[in-house]
Amino acid sequence: MFGVNKPVKEIKVSVTKERFLEESLKAGKKKLHQKKIAPVIIWDFGGQDVFYSTHQTFLTYRAIYLLVLDGSRKLDDPCPFEQYLPGKSGRKTAGDYLKFWINTIVTYCKGSGPGFPKIIIALTHKDKLKAKEVEPRRQQMFNDIEEMFSGSPLLSHLVIQDKMFVNAKDKLDQEMFKIKMIITEQAMKQPTWAKNFLNASFPLN
């Protein structure tokens, strides 16, 4: 390869026949072959303004969305790193970006039924607040979000009942485990859940 020739004298196999059988027996005892497995693709979306033109390519009604907000700052606090935002000039807040993303997702993801796709909202940076400040901030942020979309059909897309506020630096934070449960629950409620999805491909000459 690449014009380099090297004779191979010996090939070492790291897994012996006995070890392979041993691992196979372990898998059999766990009954992994009897479990129903749902393949999941996780996409960390590029939220920078340079990616705005690609939204319609990657946003799909088959997905569940997780929007993350910095809970150490309020919705009307100015964003420290402002980016271009369609229809908004001057000072931009976290609330402005939240509206933009929710509108974008719902606009490009028509077709799965009323109230779908679901958009889970979670707060982060809990570790930046004092312990006594966490609950008041949690209630204030989610009340402000609910008020922001009150009377709008967009509210039916939001999953905010559990008022998630996490410390992503703490792997034992119980709310991190709760987010996993909420994602699983919302996935099973999807109208497309358990439907066959055909893989199609053709050669491009």
Side-chain angles (χ1 to χ4, degrees), residues 13-69:
V13 179
S14 59
V15 179
T16 63
K17 181 180 178 181
E18 290 74 19
R19 181 62 186 275
F20 178 79
L21 289 172
E22 182 184 334
E23 294 299 322
S24 298
L25 284 172
K26 284 182 183 178
K29 287 177 182 177
K30 291 179 182 178
K31 298 183 179 179
L32 296 177
H33 61 288
Q34 294 179 5
K35 291 188 176 183
K36 292 183 178 179
I37 299 173
V40 175
I41 298 172
I42 299 175
W43 183 273
D44 184 3
F45 201 84
Q48 294 83 357
D49 51 13
V50 70
F51 293 114
Y52 288 173
S53 61
T54 70
H55 288 172
Q56 58 188 324
T57 305
F58 297 103
L59 299 177
T60 169
Y61 68 89
R62 291 178 175 270
I64 297 167
Y65 295 89
L66 177 64
L67 289 184
V68 181
L69 289 171

Side-chain angles (χ1 to χ4, degrees), residues 71-72 125-138 165:
S72 69
H125 294 76
K126 184 167 63 176
D127 52 296
K128 286 190 174 182
L129 299 178
K130 296 177 181 177
K132 64 180 182 180
E133 298 174 328
V134 171
E135 286 309 312
R137 178 60 57 85
R138 183 200 307 267
F165 196 177

Side-chain angles (χ1 to χ4, degrees), residues 23 34 41 48 64 119 141 151 163 165 167 174 196 199:
E23 294 299 322
Q34 294 179 5
I41 298 172
Q48 294 83 357
I64 297 167
I119 304 169
M141 290 285 283
K163 300 180 180 179
F165 196 177
N167 174 6
Q174 290 302 307
N196 291 329
N199 288 326

Side-chain angles (χ1 to χ4, degrees), residues 55 59 65-69 75 85 94-110 117-121 145-146 148-149 152-160:
H55 288 172
L59 299 177
Y65 295 89
L66 177 64
L67 289 184
V68 181
L69 289 171
L75 284 181
L85 199 59
D96 294 326
Y97 286 101
L98 180 65
K99 287 179 184 176
F100 167 75
W101 276 104
I102 290 173
N103 273 299
T104 299
I105 291 168
V106 174
T107 298
Y108 288 127
C109 300
K110 302 287 186 185
K118 290 299 182 185
I119 304 169
I120 302 167
I121 297 179
I145 291 169
E146 189 169 2
M148 181 184 294
F149 295 97
S152 166
L154 294 174
L155 186 60
S156 64
H157 294 267
L158 307 186
V159 181
I160 55 176

